[in-house]
PDB file of all heavy atoms in Angstrom:
ATOM      1  N   PRO A 148      -2.629  -2.164  -9.702  1.00  0.00           N
ATOM      2  CA  PRO A 148      -2.805  -2.735  -8.374  1.00  0.00           C
ATOM      3  C   PRO A 148      -1.384  -3.184  -7.832  1.00  0.00           C
ATOM      4  O   PRO A 148      -0.518  -3.638  -8.574  1.00  0.00           O
ATOM      5  CB  PRO A 148      -3.623  -4.022  -8.613  1.00  0.00           C
ATOM      6  CG  PRO A 148      -4.419  -3.687  -9.874  1.00  0.00           C
ATOM      7  CD  PRO A 148      -3.480  -2.830 -10.645  1.00  0.00           C
ATOM      8  N   VAL A 149      -1.223  -3.006  -6.545  1.00  0.00           N
ATOM      9  CA  VAL A 149       0.133  -3.280  -5.843  1.00  0.00           C
ATOM     10  C   VAL A 149      -0.178  -4.248  -4.685  1.00  0.00           C
ATOM     11  O   VAL A 149      -0.972  -3.879  -3.753  1.00  0.00           O
ATOM     12  CB  VAL A 149       0.762  -1.966  -5.438  1.00  0.00           C
ATOM     13  CG1 VAL A 149       2.012  -2.288  -4.614  1.00  0.00           C
ATOM     14  CG2 VAL A 149       0.983  -1.058  -6.536  1.00  0.00           C
ATOM     15  N   LEU A 150       0.550  -5.241  -4.643  1.00  0.00           N
ATOM     16  CA  LEU A 150       0.508  -6.221  -3.481  1.00  0.00           C
ATOM     17  C   LEU A 150       1.792  -6.024  -2.747  1.00  0.00           C
ATOM     18  O   LEU A 150       2.316  -4.999  -2.569  1.00  0.00           O
ATOM     19  CB  LEU A 150       0.123  -7.656  -3.935  1.00  0.00           C
ATOM     20  CG  LEU A 150      -1.201  -7.872  -4.695  1.00  0.00           C
ATOM     21  CD1 LEU A 150      -1.302  -9.268  -5.192  1.00  0.00           C
ATOM     22  CD2 LEU A 150      -2.339  -7.374  -3.862  1.00  0.00           C
ATOM     23  N   TRP A 151       2.223  -7.140  -2.055  1.00  0.00           N
ATOM     24  CA  TRP A 151       3.429  -6.936  -1.147  1.00  0.00           C
ATOM     25  C   TRP A 151       4.113  -8.249  -0.914  1.00  0.00           C
ATOM     26  O   TRP A 151       3.588  -9.346  -1.290  1.00  0.00           O
ATOM     27  CB  TRP A 151       3.013  -6.302   0.113  1.00  0.00           C
ATOM     28  CG  TRP A 151       1.963  -7.159   0.945  1.00  0.00           C
ATOM     29  CD1 TRP A 151       2.243  -8.123   1.758  1.00  0.00           C
ATOM     30  CD2 TRP A 151       0.607  -7.048   0.844  1.00  0.00           C
ATOM     31  NE1 TRP A 151       1.075  -8.676   2.279  1.00  0.00           N
ATOM     32  CE2 TRP A 151       0.120  -7.969   1.782  1.00  0.00           C
ATOM     33  CE3 TRP A 151      -0.320  -6.213   0.203  1.00  0.00           C
ATOM     34  CZ2 TRP A 151      -1.316  -8.229   1.933  1.00  0.00           C
ATOM     35  CZ3 TRP A 151      -1.668  -6.402   0.423  1.00  0.00           C
ATOM     36  CH2 TRP A 151      -2.175  -7.355   1.306  1.00  0.00           C
ATOM     37  N   GLY A 152       5.300  -8.146  -0.283  1.00  0.00           N
ATOM     38  CA  GLY A 152       6.063  -9.410   0.162  1.00  0.00           C
ATOM     39  C   GLY A 152       6.037  -9.332   1.687  1.00  0.00           C
ATOM     40  O   GLY A 152       5.085  -9.907   2.290  1.00  0.00           O
ATOM     41  N   PRO A 153       7.089  -8.743   2.255  1.00  0.00           N
ATOM     42  CA  PRO A 153       7.130  -8.841   3.815  1.00  0.00           C
ATOM     43  C   PRO A 153       6.033  -7.897   4.366  1.00  0.00           C
ATOM     44  O   PRO A 153       5.619  -7.022   3.713  1.00  0.00           O
ATOM     45  CB  PRO A 153       8.652  -8.345   4.045  1.00  0.00           C
ATOM     46  CG  PRO A 153       9.015  -7.606   2.799  1.00  0.00           C
ATOM     47  CD  PRO A 153       8.399  -8.215   1.659  1.00  0.00           C
ATOM     48  N   THR A 154       5.755  -8.209   5.613  1.00  0.00           N
ATOM     49  CA  THR A 154       4.753  -7.420   6.389  1.00  0.00           C
ATOM     50  C   THR A 154       5.371  -7.099   7.676  1.00  0.00           C
ATOM     51  O   THR A 154       6.201  -7.750   8.294  1.00  0.00           O
ATOM     52  CB  THR A 154       3.429  -8.078   6.530  1.00  0.00           C
ATOM     53  OG1 THR A 154       3.623  -9.177   7.375  1.00  0.00           O
ATOM     54  CG2 THR A 154       2.939  -8.668   5.267  1.00  0.00           C
ATOM     55  N   LEU A 155       4.832  -6.046   8.390  1.00  0.00           N
ATOM     56  CA  LEU A 155       5.262  -5.546   9.599  1.00  0.00           C
ATOM     57  C   LEU A 155       4.333  -6.174  10.794  1.00  0.00           C
ATOM     58  O   LEU A 155       4.722  -5.922  11.973  1.00  0.00           O
ATOM     59  CB  LEU A 155       5.272  -4.022   9.663  1.00  0.00           C
ATOM     60  CG  LEU A 155       5.931  -3.338  10.862  1.00  0.00           C
ATOM     61  CD1 LEU A 155       7.424  -3.904  11.130  1.00  0.00           C
ATOM     62  CD2 LEU A 155       6.021  -1.857  10.648  1.00  0.00           C
ATOM     63  N   HIS A 156       3.299  -6.814  10.401  1.00  0.00           N
ATOM     64  CA  HIS A 156       2.414  -7.322  11.493  1.00  0.00           C
ATOM     65  C   HIS A 156       1.875  -6.297  12.453  1.00  0.00           C
ATOM     66  O   HIS A 156       1.656  -6.658  13.685  1.00  0.00           O
ATOM     67  CB  HIS A 156       3.051  -8.541  12.233  1.00  0.00           C
ATOM     68  CG  HIS A 156       3.073  -9.778  11.434  1.00  0.00           C
ATOM     69  ND1 HIS A 156       3.530 -10.951  11.878  1.00  0.00           N
ATOM     70  CD2 HIS A 156       2.717 -10.047  10.137  1.00  0.00           C
ATOM     71  CE1 HIS A 156       3.377 -11.957  10.997  1.00  0.00           C
ATOM     72  NE2 HIS A 156       3.066 -11.392   9.870  1.00  0.00           N
ATOM     73  N   ASP A 157       1.724  -5.039  11.997  1.00  0.00           N
ATOM     74  CA  ASP A 157       1.350  -3.986  12.866  1.00  0.00           C
ATOM     75  C   ASP A 157      -0.126  -3.766  12.997  1.00  0.00           C
ATOM     76  O   ASP A 157      -0.536  -2.859  13.670  1.00  0.00           O
ATOM     77  CB  ASP A 157       1.946  -2.665  12.393  1.00  0.00           C
ATOM     78  CG  ASP A 157       1.759  -2.361  10.989  1.00  0.00           C
ATOM     79  OD1 ASP A 157       1.079  -3.078  10.292  1.00  0.00           O
ATOM     80  OD2 ASP A 157       2.128  -1.213  10.494  1.00  0.00           O
ATOM     81  N   TRP A 158      -0.857  -4.728  12.507  1.00  0.00           N
ATOM     82  CA  TRP A 158      -2.313  -4.823  12.762  1.00  0.00           C
ATOM     83  C   TRP A 158      -2.685  -5.868  13.789  1.00  0.00           C
ATOM     84  O   TRP A 158      -3.789  -6.034  14.165  1.00  0.00           O
ATOM     85  CB  TRP A 158      -3.121  -5.065  11.480  1.00  0.00           C
ATOM     86  CG  TRP A 158      -2.898  -6.393  10.896  1.00  0.00           C
ATOM     87  CD1 TRP A 158      -3.755  -7.483  10.992  1.00  0.00           C
ATOM     88  CD2 TRP A 158      -1.878  -6.859  10.128  1.00  0.00           C
ATOM     89  NE1 TRP A 158      -3.327  -8.619  10.413  1.00  0.00           N
ATOM     90  CE2 TRP A 158      -2.161  -8.218   9.788  1.00  0.00           C
ATOM     91  CE3 TRP A 158      -0.623  -6.268   9.594  1.00  0.00           C
ATOM     92  CZ2 TRP A 158      -1.281  -9.009   9.002  1.00  0.00           C
ATOM     93  CZ3 TRP A 158       0.134  -7.121   8.735  1.00  0.00           C
ATOM     94  CH2 TRP A 158      -0.098  -8.369   8.485  1.00  0.00           C
ATOM     95  N   LEU A 159      -1.692  -6.634  14.158  1.00  0.00           N
ATOM     96  CA  LEU A 159      -1.773  -7.731  15.122  1.00  0.00           C
ATOM     97  C   LEU A 159      -1.291  -7.339  16.480  1.00  0.00           C
ATOM     98  O   LEU A 159      -0.567  -6.539  16.727  1.00  0.00           O
ATOM     99  CB  LEU A 159      -0.945  -8.936  14.722  1.00  0.00           C
ATOM    100  CG  LEU A 159      -1.255  -9.511  13.280  1.00  0.00           C
ATOM    101  CD1 LEU A 159      -0.269 -10.594  12.868  1.00  0.00           C
ATOM    102  CD2 LEU A 159      -2.739 -10.009  13.193  1.00  0.00           C
ATOM    103  N   HIS A 160      -1.874  -8.127  17.521  1.00  0.00           N
ATOM    104  CA  HIS A 160      -1.534  -7.843  18.840  1.00  0.00           C
ATOM    105  C   HIS A 160      -0.322  -8.768  19.261  1.00  0.00           C
ATOM    106  O   HIS A 160      -0.480  -9.865  19.854  1.00  0.00           O
ATOM    107  CB  HIS A 160      -2.677  -8.164  19.801  1.00  0.00           C
ATOM    108  CG  HIS A 160      -3.879  -7.248  19.571  1.00  0.00           C
ATOM    109  ND1 HIS A 160      -4.018  -6.115  20.334  1.00  0.00           N
ATOM    110  CD2 HIS A 160      -4.858  -7.267  18.660  1.00  0.00           C
ATOM    111  CE1 HIS A 160      -5.043  -5.461  19.992  1.00  0.00           C
ATOM    112  NE2 HIS A 160      -5.654  -6.052  18.952  1.00  0.00           N
ATOM    113  N   VAL A 161       0.861  -8.408  18.757  1.00  0.00           N
ATOM    114  CA  VAL A 161       2.167  -9.120  18.920  1.00  0.00           C
ATOM    115  C   VAL A 161       3.061  -8.156  19.468  1.00  0.00           C
ATOM    116  O   VAL A 161       2.984  -6.910  19.467  1.00  0.00           O
ATOM    117  CB  VAL A 161       2.565  -9.876  17.652  1.00  0.00           C
ATOM    118  CG1 VAL A 161       1.493 -10.898  17.241  1.00  0.00           C
ATOM    119  CG2 VAL A 161       2.896  -8.828  16.593  1.00  0.00           C
ATOM    120  N   SER A 162       4.281  -8.675  19.809  1.00  0.00           N
ATOM    121  CA  SER A 162       5.340  -7.827  20.452  1.00  0.00           C
ATOM    122  C   SER A 162       6.162  -7.041  19.316  1.00  0.00           C
ATOM    123  O   SER A 162       6.062  -7.478  18.121  1.00  0.00           O
ATOM    124  CB  SER A 162       6.321  -8.676  21.146  1.00  0.00           C
ATOM    125  OG  SER A 162       7.098  -9.550  20.284  1.00  0.00           O
ATOM    126  N   THR A 163       6.810  -6.044  19.631  1.00  0.00           N
ATOM    127  CA  THR A 163       7.707  -5.332  18.683  1.00  0.00           C
ATOM    128  C   THR A 163       8.732  -6.296  18.073  1.00  0.00           C
ATOM    129  O   THR A 163       8.891  -6.133  16.790  1.00  0.00           O
ATOM    130  CB  THR A 163       8.346  -4.180  19.368  1.00  0.00           C
ATOM    131  OG1 THR A 163       7.395  -3.273  19.889  1.00  0.00           O
ATOM    132  CG2 THR A 163       9.350  -3.492  18.515  1.00  0.00           C
ATOM    133  N   GLU A 164       9.277  -7.125  18.856  1.00  0.00           N
ATOM    134  CA  GLU A 164      10.280  -8.059  18.316  1.00  0.00           C
ATOM    135  C   GLU A 164       9.644  -9.057  17.359  1.00  0.00           C
ATOM    136  O   GLU A 164      10.314  -9.260  16.247  1.00  0.00           O
ATOM    137  CB  GLU A 164      10.948  -8.907  19.474  1.00  0.00           C
ATOM    138  CG  GLU A 164      11.719  -7.996  20.327  1.00  0.00           C
ATOM    139  CD  GLU A 164      12.819  -7.126  19.608  1.00  0.00           C
ATOM    140  OE1 GLU A 164      13.442  -7.597  18.766  1.00  0.00           O
ATOM    141  OE2 GLU A 164      12.928  -5.978  19.985  1.00  0.00           O
ATOM    142  N   ASP A 165       8.383  -9.447  17.520  1.00  0.00           N
ATOM    143  CA  ASP A 165       7.734 -10.263  16.537  1.00  0.00           C
ATOM    144  C   ASP A 165       7.474  -9.469  15.261  1.00  0.00           C
ATOM    145  O   ASP A 165       7.600 -10.057  14.165  1.00  0.00           O
ATOM    146  CB  ASP A 165       6.438 -10.818  17.109  1.00  0.00           C
ATOM    147  CG  ASP A 165       6.648 -11.927  18.139  1.00  0.00           C
ATOM    148  OD1 ASP A 165       7.696 -12.478  18.146  1.00  0.00           O
ATOM    149  OD2 ASP A 165       5.646 -12.078  18.987  1.00  0.00           O
ATOM    150  N   ARG A 166       7.118  -8.157  15.425  1.00  0.00           N
ATOM    151  CA  ARG A 166       6.853  -7.400  14.199  1.00  0.00           C
ATOM    152  C   ARG A 166       8.125  -7.296  13.402  1.00  0.00           C
ATOM    153  O   ARG A 166       8.155  -7.371  12.145  1.00  0.00           O
ATOM    154  CB  ARG A 166       6.300  -6.099  14.738  1.00  0.00           C
ATOM    155  CG  ARG A 166       4.955  -6.096  15.251  1.00  0.00           C
ATOM    156  CD  ARG A 166       4.292  -4.706  15.525  1.00  0.00           C
ATOM    157  NE  ARG A 166       2.999  -4.792  15.961  1.00  0.00           N
ATOM    158  CZ  ARG A 166       2.475  -4.596  17.163  1.00  0.00           C
ATOM    159  NH1 ARG A 166       3.408  -4.104  18.003  1.00  0.00           N
ATOM    160  NH2 ARG A 166       1.195  -4.698  17.421  1.00  0.00           N
ATOM    161  N   LEU A 167       9.220  -6.860  14.047  1.00  0.00           N
ATOM    162  CA  LEU A 167      10.545  -6.754  13.346  1.00  0.00           C
ATOM    163  C   LEU A 167      10.944  -7.987  12.755  1.00  0.00           C
ATOM    164  O   LEU A 167      11.555  -7.981  11.603  1.00  0.00           O
ATOM    165  CB  LEU A 167      11.544  -6.181  14.318  1.00  0.00           C
ATOM    166  CG  LEU A 167      11.280  -4.717  14.889  1.00  0.00           C
ATOM    167  CD1 LEU A 167      12.234  -4.369  15.927  1.00  0.00           C
ATOM    168  CD2 LEU A 167      11.299  -3.743  13.745  1.00  0.00           C
ATOM    169  N   ALA A 168      10.770  -9.148  13.400  1.00  0.00           N
ATOM    170  CA  ALA A 168      11.091 -10.376  12.775  1.00  0.00           C
ATOM    171  C   ALA A 168      10.337 -10.759  11.540  1.00  0.00           C
ATOM    172  O   ALA A 168      10.877 -11.202  10.494  1.00  0.00           O
ATOM    173  CB  ALA A 168      11.001 -11.462  13.825  1.00  0.00           C
ATOM    174  N   ALA A 169       9.039 -10.404  11.658  1.00  0.00           N
ATOM    175  CA  ALA A 169       8.243 -10.516  10.448  1.00  0.00           C
ATOM    176  C   ALA A 169       8.673  -9.704   9.197  1.00  0.00           C
ATOM    177  O   ALA A 169       8.684 -10.177   8.061  1.00  0.00           O
ATOM    178  CB  ALA A 169       6.743 -10.264  10.721  1.00  0.00           C
ATOM    179  N   ALA A 170       9.032  -8.515   9.503  1.00  0.00           N
ATOM    180  CA  ALA A 170       9.585  -7.560   8.469  1.00  0.00           C
ATOM    181  C   ALA A 170      10.853  -7.977   7.937  1.00  0.00           C
ATOM    182  O   ALA A 170      11.273  -7.526   6.761  1.00  0.00           O
ATOM    183  CB  ALA A 170       9.590  -6.233   9.005  1.00  0.00           C
ATOM    184  N   ARG A 171      11.649  -8.807   8.540  1.00  0.00           N
ATOM    185  CA  ARG A 171      12.896  -9.278   8.066  1.00  0.00           C
ATOM    186  C   ARG A 171      12.674 -10.418   7.023  1.00  0.00           C
ATOM    187  O   ARG A 171      13.520 -10.566   6.122  1.00  0.00           O
ATOM    188  CB  ARG A 171      13.863  -9.933   9.117  1.00  0.00           C
ATOM    189  CG  ARG A 171      14.456  -8.757   9.902  1.00  0.00           C
ATOM    190  CD  ARG A 171      15.659  -9.371  10.784  1.00  0.00           C
ATOM    191  NE  ARG A 171      15.207 -10.409  11.750  1.00  0.00           N
ATOM    192  CZ  ARG A 171      14.758 -10.035  13.036  1.00  0.00           C
ATOM    193  NH1 ARG A 171      14.823  -8.719  13.399  1.00  0.00           N
ATOM    194  NH2 ARG A 171      14.388 -10.887  13.877  1.00  0.00           N
ATOM    195  N   ARG A 172      11.634 -11.152   7.214  1.00  0.00           N
ATOM    196  CA  ARG A 172      11.313 -12.292   6.260  1.00  0.00           C
ATOM    197  C   ARG A 172      10.933 -11.831   4.958  1.00  0.00           C
ATOM    198  O   ARG A 172      10.054 -11.140   4.652  1.00  0.00           O
ATOM    199  CB  ARG A 172      10.222 -13.262   6.883  1.00  0.00           C
ATOM    200  CG  ARG A 172      10.616 -13.896   8.155  1.00  0.00           C
ATOM    201  CD  ARG A 172       9.576 -14.915   8.537  1.00  0.00           C
ATOM    202  NE  ARG A 172       8.421 -14.397   9.025  1.00  0.00           N
ATOM    203  CZ  ARG A 172       8.179 -14.155  10.343  1.00  0.00           C
ATOM    204  NH1 ARG A 172       9.084 -14.274  11.220  1.00  0.00           N
ATOM    205  NH2 ARG A 172       6.907 -13.601  10.681  1.00  0.00           N
ATOM    206  N   GLY A 173      11.773 -12.184   3.946  1.00  0.00           N
ATOM    207  CA  GLY A 173      11.623 -11.764   2.539  1.00  0.00           C
ATOM    208  C   GLY A 173      12.082 -10.350   2.251  1.00  0.00           C
ATOM    209  O   GLY A 173      11.849  -9.905   1.009  1.00  0.00           O
ATOM    210  N   ALA A 174      12.809  -9.765   3.196  1.00  0.00           N
ATOM    211  CA  ALA A 174      13.236  -8.364   2.918  1.00  0.00           C
ATOM    212  C   ALA A 174      14.497  -8.469   2.039  1.00  0.00           C
ATOM    213  O   ALA A 174      15.361  -9.294   2.244  1.00  0.00           O
ATOM    214  CB  ALA A 174      13.651  -7.659   4.212  1.00  0.00           C
TER     215      ALA A 174
END
Side-chain angles (χ1 to χ4, degrees):
V149 180
L150 298 179
W151 61 85
T154 69
L155 191 51
H156 283 186
D157 53 357
W158 70 99
L159 300 175
H160 295 265
V161 298
S162 70
T163 296
E164 295 307 320
D165 285 341
R166 292 187 175 111
L167 294 173
R171 284 195 296 272
R172 293 192 287 271

